[in-house]
Amino acid sequence: MTVSADPISTPPARTPGGAIRMDGLVLRDETVARLRAEIDALGNPHVCLATVLVGDDKPSQVYVRSKHKKAAEAGMSSKHVELPATASQAEVEAAVRDLAEDPDVHGILVQLPLPNGLDEDAVLDLVPAEKDVDGLTIASMGRLMRGREGHIPCTPKGVMRLLDRYGIATSGQTAVVIGRSLLVGLPLSVLLARKGIDATVTLAHSRTKDLVAACRNADIIVGAAGIARLITAEHVKPGATLIDVGMSRTEAGIVGDIDFDAVESIAGAITPMPGGTGPMTIACLLENTLEAARMLGAVRR
Ligand code: NAD
């Protein structure tokens, strides 16, 4: 994976306490503009992202809509397949199989989680590795582990882009990733430890005995547990980089795993929530979609 972006041309914005504010909205917009320019330079070939949504979960509907909107801004077309929550396993599999076989579709994203009772693994197994822009199939995960060309899951890839864009050192640094899901924490810990990135990684989870002890000497902390304000001042070493992936819906709105107000004056750099990792997830989905079109030979390299 190349995780390079243009160097920062202007001093980055700071939080009130002086930490670098790692702005995912700005980097997403830069990424979308870059993809648009790349597609223009290629003569505007047809590049298509297909999404599959099962059920009527409101947040999932919002995520899918914003993915289509940003795809259009990047010069891509998109296709949406929506099935009712009552859809059978066979119906969902048929929809995904159609997209897998459609030569006009380059990327397929099945919005997760699927409603209870549906077998996610069986559905994901139908997505060909080249079209797996979410990077969650067995083939993509295997390629990631082996360091072979393939799609990297969008949220971990977005975190790596933010670190790169804001010039955060990783080599020889200690990183703690909190949360070990296949979607975020596990692949992110692999990416951070990879040769060339070279962080020393601790993967913390719900059975970690002493999270404060695990975090307090870390140079980089990534919160991906989905527990509101889990990371407080006692977890954070002065100057540490804090990346918030967690999103909890509370009465106060969307709240991250990191207690932003309590730690921003201690941190050296921090992502806002919202406005940090979320927009970068979409940016990386679009990057993966253009890459999928290249892998499929629909767009020249
Ligand atoms: P998940 O529920 O699959 O995994 C949560 C992980 O957190 C588990 O591995 C669990 O062991 C760990 N955990 C739970 N409680 C803990 C605790 N007290 N201490 C340490 N570890 C604990 O969730 P997921 O799908 O990986 O998502 C995690 C969070 O990230 C959610 O809030 C989700 O909404 C959010 N998310 C954000 C983005 C984004 O783009 N920003 C993308 C995907 C998910």
Side-chain angles (χ1 to χ4, degrees):
M1 178 184 63
T2 27
V3 264
S4 60
D6 294 332
I8 303 168
S9 52
T10 49
R14 302 251 168 197
T15 66
I20 292 172
R21 195 172 181 281
M22 303 171 81
D23 194 326
L25 289 167
V26 169
L27 186 50
R28 176 203 61 197
D29 290 348
E30 280 180 18
T31 307
V32 170
R34 175 174 52 77
L35 292 172
R36 166 117 231 169
E38 270 180 53
I39 291 173
D40 281 349
L42 289 162
N44 290 299
H46 171 74
V47 176
C48 178
L49 169 69
T51 54
V52 178
L53 178 62
V54 186
D56 48 14
D57 179 58
K58 290 282 172 291
S60 294
Q61 287 171 343
V62 173
Y63 295 147
V64 167
R65 264 202 300 277
S66 59
K67 286 164 186 171
H68 288 270
K69 183 165 169 270
K70 292 295 159 192
E73 286 176 28
M76 299 177 191
S77 58
S78 53
K79 182 172 182 164
H80 182 56
V81 178
E82 200 157 327
L83 296 166
T86 51
S88 67
Q89 181 76 23
E91 285 166 334
V92 178
E93 289 186 11
V96 173
R97 210 175 271 117
D98 283 350
L99 297 171
E101 287 166 5
D102 186 341
D104 288 334
V105 167
H106 306 109
I108 301 174
L109 177 132
V110 180
Q111 186 67 39
L112 301 176
L114 293 175
N116 286 342
L118 292 174
D119 180 348
E120 273 178 14
D121 284 348
V123 172
L124 289 182
D125 283 350
L126 296 169
V127 179
E130 288 70 22
K131 295 190 179 188
D132 175 26
V133 286
D134 229 3
L136 297 177
T137 61
I138 290 173
S140 296
M141 290 277 168
R143 290 177 185 200
L144 171 64
M145 290 301 292
R146 308 242 359 156
R148 298 254 299 267
E149 186 189 45
H151 296 300
I152 291 172
C154 304
T155 303
K157 187 173 179 178
V159 171
M160 299 307 292
R161 288 259 187 262
L162 280 163
L163 292 172
D164 181 65
R165 178 68 173 78
Y166 282 91
I168 306 298
T170 52
S171 181
Q173 304 294 291
T174 52
V176 178
V177 177
I178 306 165
R180 59 181 161 185
S181 73
L182 282 173
L183 190 64
V184 188
L186 199 56
L188 181 57
S189 66
V190 172
L191 288 169
L192 284 164
R194 256 184 169 185
K195 212 167 179 54
I197 303 294
D198 300 321
T200 302
V201 182
T202 298
L203 184 53
H205 45 76
S206 53
R207 298 282 173 101
T208 296
K209 270 199 186 132
D210 188 344
L211 192 61
V212 173
C215 290
R216 76 175 153 228
N217 291 315
D219 301 304
I220 299 167
I221 300 174
V222 182
I227 309 281
R229 300 191 187 96
L230 176 68
I231 306 302
T232 59
E234 61 178 347
H235 296 81
V236 178
K237 176 173 91 169
T241 297
L242 306 179
I243 309 272
D244 204 347
V245 173
M247 289 193 299
S248 305
R249 276 158 222 287
T250 69
E251 280 177 7
I254 291 181
V255 173
D257 282 9
I258 294 175
D259 189 344
F260 187 94
D261 293 339
V263 299
E264 58 88 5
S265 61
I266 308 171
I270 185 168
T271 58
M273 174 57 71
T277 55
M280 286 311 296
T281 296
I282 296 184
C284 290
L285 172 69
L286 300 179
E287 269 190 16
N288 284 353
T289 303
L290 181 54
E291 190 51 33
R294 289 200 170 102
M295 286 180 188
L296 291 161
V299 169
R300 72 168 188 272
R301 289 197 178 256

